[in-house]
C-alpha cells in the first residue's frame, strides 16, 4: 500500500483526553481476560499452587461485598463443593483502584452427611431404643420395636446411593444365617473400630419385626446393660444341672450375646407386659427336658420382673423338676400359671407281650400320651419333641414302634416321627379350641457333641464363643422338614412355628458340658469330662432368647385381641 495513501485520523479524534480513555478501556479488557483465565485454572484439574489461595480469598471477598453494578464485569459461575450450598455466585465486579483483601479459605472436600430426617449430623447410625423392662407394649396396639425416620422425597435406592456418595457408610459382609443359609451384606459405619472377630451391630434403619423373619440372623455381642434377663445364680428355680455359674463355670461370655435378625430389630422380653397379658391365663410347656429348660428360663425372667418375688411359687412346693410329671408356677398378683408337662414323644409309651411271653417296650405312634388332660384347657401351648428320637432304641427302630396290635420289626425313625406328629396334629385339630388356645411349636435345638455321641465321650468342654463360620453348621434337620409339611399342609389349627434350629447351631459355647454339679475333688472333675451335657443349656443363656422370640412371635400374631 502506498504510504502516501494512508488513512489519517483527524487531530481532534486523537486528542490527549480520548487517547487516555482508550488506554483505560483496553487495560480493563486485558485485566478481565486475565481474571477469567485464572478462575478457570483454579476450578480445573490443573493446580496452580500460589494462585489458588489468592483467588479463594478474592472469591470470598466478592461473595460478601456488594459492588457497583455499573462497573465492568466478567460473569463466571464456578461450582463449589460446599456443605452450605451446592453452588456459589461468581465474583460480580473487578475494581481497578481497590484490591480485595486476600484471605485463604480452604474449601471442604466432602459434603456434610444428611440424615434421613433431612438434618445434617453425625454419619454413624444410632441405635433405636427398644421396649425396656419399664415399658408396656401391647399385642394389639400396633406398637413397633423402633421408629425409623425417613425422608419422603427419597426412595430407598436414592437414600442408599446418597449415603454411598457422601462416603459416610461402607458395605461390610458379615456371616449371617437364616433358614435359607444365605450370606447377607450389612451396612456399617466406615469408621467402625470393632474387632475383626466381633459380629457387626445392627443399624437403626431396620424395618418392623411384623414382616420380618426373626429366625434369620446372627449372634452379636450384647451391651452389659441389656443381658442377661436375670443375674446368674439369682433364680432359685433353675435346675442344678443348668446352673453353670453356681457349678463354678469359670467364664461368663456365654451370657453376653444377643440374637439379631437380619431384617429388623426386635424388642426385649418385657416381663411386666408378658405377665399382664397372661393375667387370669394358663401357659403350658409340653415336651422333653429341653422344653423344661425353656420353661425354667421363662419362670426366672418373669419372676425377676416382680418387686415381691415371694408372690411366685410352685403350687406343690417343689424345687426339683427333673422327674417326669406336671409342674406349675403360680404368679399370685396376676392370677396366672406357667406350667410344664413332661411328654418327650407326645405319643404313648407302652408295652407289648410277644409270642414267646416276653414283654417289649413300645411306642404307640397312633395314640396320644395320657398327659393330655393336664394341658387341654391351656390358653397358650408350647410344644416340642425331638431329642428322645435320637436315642439308640428310637434310632434303631427294631421291634419298638407300634400301631394298633402291630409292632414293626423295623421302622425308620424319620417315618416313625412323621406318624407321631400326624397323631399329635389330629389331636390338636380335634381337641383344641382355636378361639381360646394358641398353639406354638418350638423347633429342634441342635447339640454340639464332638468326638462321639452323647453317651460315648462326646464333648463341648472349653467352648467359649459361638461358631462364626457357616461351614461348621449342620444341615437343617429332616425331622423339622417333615414337621413343617404337616403344620402347613395337613393341620387346620394355626400353629406358630419357632424355627430355632440354625439359631442354636451357632451356640456351641452355651451348654453346661462338665459344669452340671460342683466337684469335690479334681479327680471327680477329670472323670466328668467323659460324661458331658452338650444338649441342654446353661441358665441364664440361650433359652432366654427363645422366650424373647416367643414374646415377639405373640406380638407379631396380635394375640391379645383374643385374650
Amino acid at each position: 500500500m502506498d504510504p502516501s495513501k494512508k488513512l489519517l485520523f483527524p487531530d481532534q479524534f486523537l486528542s490527549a483526553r480520548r487517547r487516555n480513555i482508550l488506554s483505560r478501556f483496553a487495560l480493563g479488557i486485558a485485566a478481565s481476560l486475565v481474571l477469567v483465565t485464572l478462575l478457570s485454572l483454579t476450578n480445573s484439574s490443573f493446580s496452580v499452587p500460589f494462585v489458588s489461595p489468592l483467588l479463594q480469598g478474592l472469591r470470598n471477598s466478592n461473595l460478601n461485598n456488594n459492588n457497583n453494578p455499573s462497573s465492568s464485569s466478567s460473569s463466571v459461575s464456578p461450582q463449589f463443593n460446599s456443605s452450605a450450598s451446592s453452588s456459589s455466585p461468581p465474583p460480580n465486579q473487578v475494581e481497578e483502584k481497590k484490591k480485595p483483601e486476600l484471605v485463604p479459605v480452604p474449601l471442604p472436600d466432602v459434603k456434610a452427611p444428611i440424615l434421613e430426617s433431612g438434618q445434617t449430623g453425625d454419619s454413624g447410625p444410632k441405635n433405636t431404643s427398644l421396649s425396656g423392662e419399664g415399658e408396656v407394649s401391647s399385642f394389639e396396639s400396633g406398637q413397633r420395636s423402633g421408629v425409623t425416620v425417613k425422608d419422603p422425597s427419597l426412595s430407598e435406592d436414592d437414600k442408599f446411593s446418597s449415603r454411598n456418595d457422601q462416603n459416610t457408610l461402607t458395605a461390610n459382609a458379615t456371616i449371617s444365617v437364616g433358614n435359607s443359609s444365605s450370606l447377607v451384606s450389612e451396612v456399617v459405619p466406615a469408621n467402625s473400630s470393632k474387632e475383626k472377630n466381633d459380629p457387626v451391630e445392627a443399624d437403626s434403619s431396620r424395618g418392623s419385626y411384623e414382616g420380618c423373619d426373626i429366625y434369620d440372623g446372627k449372634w452379636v455381642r450384647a451391651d452389659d446393660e441389656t443381658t442377661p434377663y436375670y443375674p446368674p445364680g439369682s433364680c432359685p428355680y433353675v435346675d442344678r444341672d443348668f446352673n453353670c455359674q453356681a457349678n463354678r463355670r469359670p467364664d461368663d461370655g456365654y451370657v453376653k450375646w444377643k440374637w439379631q435378625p437380619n431384617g429388623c430389630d426386635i424388642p426385649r422380653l418385657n416381663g411386666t407386659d408378658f405377665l399382664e397379658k397372661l393375667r387370669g391365663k394358663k401357659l403350658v410347656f409340653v415336651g422333653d427336658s429341653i422344653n423344661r429348660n425353656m420353661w425354667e428360663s421363662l419362670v426366672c425372667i418373669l419372676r425377676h420382673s416382680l418387686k415381691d418375688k415371694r408372690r411366685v411359687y410352685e403350687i406343690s412346693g417343689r424345687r426339683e423338676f427333673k422327674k417326669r410329671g406336671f409342674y406349675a408356677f403360680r404368679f399370685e398378683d396376676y392370677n396366672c400359671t406357667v406350667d410344664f408337662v413332661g411328654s418327650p414323644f407326645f405319643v404313648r409309651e407302652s408295652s407289648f407281650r410277644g409270642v414267646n411271653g416276653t414283654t417289649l417296650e413300645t411306642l404307640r405312634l397312633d395314640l396320644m400320651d395320657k398327659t393330655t388332660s393336664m394341658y387341654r384347657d391351656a390358653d397358650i401351648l408350647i410344644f416340642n419333641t425331638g431329642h428322645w428320637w435320637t436315642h439308640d432304641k428310637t434310632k434303631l427302630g427294631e421291634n419298638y414302634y407300634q400301631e394298633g396290635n402291630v409292632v414293626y420289626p423295623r421302622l425308620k425313625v424319620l417315618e416313625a416321627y412323621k406318624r407321631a406328629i400326624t397323631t399329635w396334629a389330629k389331636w390338636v385339630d380335634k381337641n383344641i379350641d382355636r378361639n381360646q388356645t394358641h398353639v406354638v411349636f418350638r423347633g429342634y435345638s441342635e447339640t454340639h457333641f464332638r468326638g462321639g455321641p452323647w453317651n460315648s465321650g462326646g464333648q463341648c468342654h472349653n467352648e467359649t464363643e459361638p461358631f462364626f463360620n457357616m461351614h461348621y453348621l449342620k444341615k437343617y434337620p429332616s425331622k423339622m422338614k417333615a414337621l413343617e409339611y404337616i403344620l402347613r399342609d395337613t393341620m387346620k389349627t394355626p400353629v406358630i412355628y419357632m424355627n430355632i434350629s440354625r439359631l442354636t447351631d451357632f451356640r456351641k459355647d452355651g451348654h453346661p458340658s462338665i459344669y452340671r454339679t460342683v466337684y469335690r475333688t479334681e479327680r471327680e472333675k477329670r472323670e466328668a469330662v467323659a460324661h458331658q451335657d452338650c444338649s441342654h443349656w446353661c441358665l441364664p443363656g440361650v433359652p432366654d432368647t427363645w422366650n424373647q422370640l416367643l414374646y415377639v412371635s405373640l406380638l407379631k400374631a396380635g394375640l391379645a385381641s383374643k385374650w
Side-chain angles (χ1 to χ4, degrees):
M1 184 182 225
D2 190 350
S4 62
K5 295 183 179 180
K6 286 182 180 179
L7 180 63
L8 300 178
F9 289 93
D11 292 340
Q12 63 270 23
F13 185 81
L14 296 175
S15 65
R17 182 171 176 272
R18 298 202 175 209
R19 281 197 299 271
N20 187 27
I21 292 174
L22 185 61
S23 299
R24 292 188 178 190
F25 180 79
L27 209 57
I29 293 296
S32 298
L33 291 174
V34 170
L35 183 61
V36 169
T37 303
L38 292 176
L39 286 174
S40 299
L41 287 173
T42 59
N43 285 283
S44 67
S45 59
F46 180 74
S47 178
V48 184
F50 71 94
V51 174
S52 296
L54 177 70
L55 289 177
Q56 288 171 3
L58 180 63
R59 178 164 42 202
N60 185 66
S61 176
N62 284 334
L63 286 173
N64 296 285
N65 187 28
N66 293 325
N67 295 324
N68 187 356
S70 61
S71 304
S72 299
S73 64
S74 175
S75 181
V76 184
S77 300
Q79 298 292 319
F80 299 119
N81 188 16
S82 170
S83 63
S85 175
S86 61
S87 64
S88 300
N92 295 325
Q93 308 293 336
V94 178
E95 291 184 350
E96 186 178 335
K97 294 183 180 181
K98 184 178 179 180
K99 295 183 179 180
E101 181 182 359
L102 303 179
V103 182
V105 179
L107 296 177
D109 295 329
V110 183
K111 293 182 180 180
I114 300 176
L115 299 178
E116 290 187 348
S117 61
Q119 299 176 350
T120 58
D122 295 334
S123 60
K126 298 180 179 179
N127 291 329
T128 304
S129 62
L130 303 179
S131 177
E133 287 296 329
E135 300 175 357
V136 179
S137 59
S138 171
F139 287 174
E140 59 183 344
S141 65
Q143 293 178 355
R144 303 291 183 266
S145 59
V147 177
T148 304
V149 181
K150 297 185 178 180
D151 186 347
S153 65
L154 292 178
S155 67
E156 292 298 326
D157 293 337
D158 292 335
K159 291 173 186 174
F160 187 79
S161 176
S162 174
R163 286 195 292 269
N164 283 340
D165 292 342
Q166 294 162 14
N167 294 324
T168 59
L169 298 176
T170 183
N172 182 46
T174 63
I175 294 179
S176 308
V177 67
N179 302 334
S180 60
S181 307
S182 60
L183 290 177
V184 178
S185 294
E186 187 170 52
V187 176
V188 297
N191 59 349
S192 175
S193 60
K194 290 187 176 292
E195 298 177 5
K196 292 181 180 179
N197 292 331
D198 281 355
V200 181
E201 292 285 350
D203 69 88
S204 60
S205 63
R206 297 179 183 275
S208 166
Y209 60 78
E210 283 197 351
C212 172
D213 181 0
I214 58 176
Y215 302 99
D216 173 16
K218 58 189 172 296
W219 291 95
V220 298
R221 289 197 182 276
D223 299 331
D224 290 338
E225 298 178 357
T226 59
T227 56
Y229 281 100
Y230 47 97
S234 66
C235 184
Y237 302 124
V238 173
D239 269 347
R240 188 58 182 260
D241 288 4
F242 307 152
N243 202 341
C244 300
Q245 288 294 306
N247 295 331
R248 301 177 185 175
R249 177 170 172 167
D251 63 301
D252 64 352
Y254 63 93
V255 301
K256 297 181 178 179
W257 297 91
K258 68 176 181 178
W259 180 249
Q260 175 63 66
N262 286 323
C264 59
D265 289 320
I266 55 176
R268 280 174 61 79
L269 193 163
N270 187 319
T272 304
D273 181 51
F274 202 109
L275 282 169
E276 191 60 49
K277 290 174 171 53
L278 285 179
R279 185 179 292 278
K281 307 299 180 183
K282 178 180 179 180
L283 182 150
V284 184
F285 289 85
V286 182
D288 56 28
S289 57
I290 307 297
N291 235 20
R292 177 164 55 86
N293 217 173
M294 183 179 179
W295 167 68
E296 292 181 13
S297 163
L298 183 60
V299 168
C300 291
I301 292 172
L302 299 181
R303 174 185 179 273
H304 190 66
S305 68
L306 299 176
K307 291 183 179 180
D308 187 355
K309 294 175 175 51
R310 294 172 300 178
R311 304 286 289 173
V312 55
Y313 52 87
E314 205 280 321
I315 58 175
S316 61
R318 288 172 291 186
R319 295 284 185 112
E320 294 288 336
F321 314 111
K322 293 182 68 172
K323 292 182 179 180
R324 193 185 303 185
F326 169 77
Y327 303 93
F329 273 93
R330 179 172 177 80
F331 291 80
E332 195 70 37
D333 294 334
Y334 295 89
N335 189 30
C336 67
T337 61
V338 178
D339 307 347
F340 172 72
V341 175
S343 180
F345 296 111
F346 298 163
V347 291
R348 186 176 303 177
E349 294 177 84
S350 184
S351 62
F352 184 83
R353 187 175 296 276
V355 177
N356 57 359
T358 59
T359 301
L360 302 174
E361 291 184 353
T362 62
L363 188 65
R364 288 290 302 265
L365 302 178
D366 56 340
L367 293 178
M368 286 291 287
D369 193 0
K370 294 179 180 180
T371 59
T372 55
S373 61
M374 300 177 184
Y375 56 81
R376 186 195 303 264
D377 61 341
D379 296 281
I380 298 179
L381 282 168
I382 299 100
F383 289 99
N384 100 289
T385 183
H387 280 272
W388 282 48
W389 296 88
T390 63
H391 294 181
D392 289 342
K393 190 179 296 186
T394 50
K395 283 180 65 177
L396 292 174
E398 295 180 354
N399 297 315
Y400 181 60
Y401 297 119
Q402 177 183 356
E403 288 182 315
N405 293 323
V406 177
V407 176
Y408 296 99
R410 179 180 290 272
L411 185 68
K412 290 184 178 180
V413 64
L414 180 58
E415 179 60 29
Y417 184 84
K418 291 178 184 177
R419 297 187 187 189
I421 293 297
T422 299
T423 299
W424 165 82
K426 290 178 179 178
W427 181 89
V428 169
D429 283 341
K430 182 178 179 181
N431 294 276
I432 296 299
D433 181 358
R434 70 187 68 179
N435 294 317
Q436 174 192 341
T437 303
H438 309 292
V439 181
V440 179
F441 197 109
R442 179 186 57 75
Y444 184 76
S445 170
E446 293 287 1
T447 62
H448 295 92
F449 293 98
R450 63 172 187 270
W454 67 276
N455 57 352
S456 301
Q459 300 183 7
C460 54
H461 185 35
N462 293 327
E463 296 288 358
T464 58
E465 284 190 332
F467 283 126
F468 295 114
N469 191 334
M470 285 176 55
H471 174 73
Y472 298 108
L473 302 183
K474 304 178 184 71
K475 293 182 179 180
Y476 187 58
S478 56
K479 294 184 184 67
M480 295 301 99
K481 292 180 181 179
L483 170 70
E484 287 190 41
Y485 171 79
I486 293 170
L487 297 181
R488 182 183 62 246
D489 294 345
T490 68
M491 287 190 72
K492 299 176 182 178
T493 305
V495 176
I496 297 173
Y497 175 45
M498 296 182 61
N499 191 352
I500 53 97
S501 296
R502 300 303 294 269
L503 176 155
T504 56
D505 203 359
F506 282 105
R507 295 303 306 274
K508 60 184 173 64
D509 61 316
H511 301 288
S513 64
I514 66 171
Y515 299 103
R516 295 183 294 166
T517 187
V518 176
Y519 301 102
R520 292 171 294 179
T521 65
E522 283 299 318
R523 180 180 177 180
E524 288 182 349
K525 191 173 181 179
R526 288 194 301 269
E527 290 175 350
V529 172
H531 302 89
Q532 300 188 22
D533 184 354
C534 305
S535 299
H536 299 93
W537 302 92
C538 295
L539 291 179
V542 171
D544 300 334
T545 296
W546 301 348
N547 283 309
Q548 179 190 14
L549 294 171
L550 170 65
Y551 175 69
V552 175
S553 296
L554 295 177
L555 290 173
K556 287 179 66 175
L559 298 183
S561 60
K562 298 181 181 180
W563 290 14

